[in-house]
Amino acid sequence: MALSIYNTLTKQKAPLKPLEGNHIRMYVCGMTVYDFCHIGHARVMVAFDVIARWLRHSGYELTYIRNVTDIDDKIIKRAQENGETFQVLTERMIAAMHEDERKLAVLPPDQEPRASEHVEGMHRMIQTLIDKGYAYAPGNGDVYYRVGKFEGYGKLSRKKIEDLRIGARIEVDESKEDPLDFVLWKGVKPGEPSWASPWGDGRPGWHIECSVMSTCCLGDTFDIHGGGPDLVFPHHENEIAQSEAATGKPYAAAWMHAGAVRVDGEKMSKSLGNFFTIRDVLEKYHPEVVRYLLVASHYRSSINYSEDNLREAKSALERFYNGLKGLPVVPANGGEEFSARFATAMDDDFNTPEACAVLFDMVREVNRLRESDLNAAAALAARLRELAEVLGILQLEADAFLQAGSEVDAEQIEALIAARKQARADKDWAESDRIRDELQAMGVVLEDKQGVTTWRLG
């Protein structure tokens, strides 16, 4: 089965056909780094991390670019509130973002361009748009894009220009020809960072940043452009308009968008008091529990973030790790049917819920094999871990996950288990039972199989 993906532009699934040989070029809109990343950011990070992992697992040569927006209105406002430069703020937030990603097992992109490093490229694209009549400088330091001149405007979001004009307004200090025109370059304002430009000192508009960074890193036309659900309009729509007008070529062959995160059924919002940073969540839950919650749903679907769903994710991982616990380390072997089913699921627009279902079937078979053939169980468990790595889960030692957050003394437990083993060898059943009772009082559940004793917290 060929790998198929859902294209937001065409609103249908189609086989992925690289534009150039076996090489996939993918650009994903990254974070605006004025604050700590929230759980919605984690959704996008993890979704495209899984997509990148599967593309590489499938044998594609992948170039994965995810930008950083390190200059915009929110960043300037926050830096002024903090009494610091925008560079100091963004460096701190980028470092925090990378720390959050590492905890969630998100692999870094191949390149992470920053908007502030591509200002000259933005000048060149803006000048090209002016020369072609798609942009204009009214003389107040700003430069605007003529939305009405681009015939394909609205093709991604399915919005019509005439509908958008209803209710559109022009701010008092703007000099737009049309209310729908958007800013490419903003003239300098007092107290704000600025760069010299042919139109006067100022700074870039948000939309031009990604058009320039993506084409600089990947060329005028590339395979996949991705991002969060809130970016389809206007950000991605404006990117298409800018880029295709400037280059005269199609921009991205396919568009992919992750689903939204809802909190207890409601949209996440600071005003509703249901806004959670990644750091907030990781104070209460193991990072792999959070990642599993995110990969257990299809990347295009909405995720309901709730305490109940996090507890279910934790329980699911405990089932996996209890199945993996105590097995000898052997090379992966067997499980071809499971591997084929897993690949079929992932090739169907990265269907991670179905892929997780395959992993559950595998751990059930591992548990069945334990009773008769420990080596066969271990070989299948190794295969399970290989597949799970594509989802970024089940790569820890089982005990490390199962005992995470516990205040019990693992060394003490192991010593008691060893003492119980010796008591059983000495046929001192009373002492053996006493130790088992002591461990049970500590919340430790023992499992004796084929002469091997493993434990977990009950």
Side-chain angles (χ1 to χ4, degrees), residues 307-320:
E307 294 288 327
D308 285 345
N309 286 345
L310 282 163
R311 282 191 287 269
E312 287 179 9
K314 181 174 183 289
S315 177
L317 286 172
E318 286 172 345
R319 286 173 59 191
F320 281 121

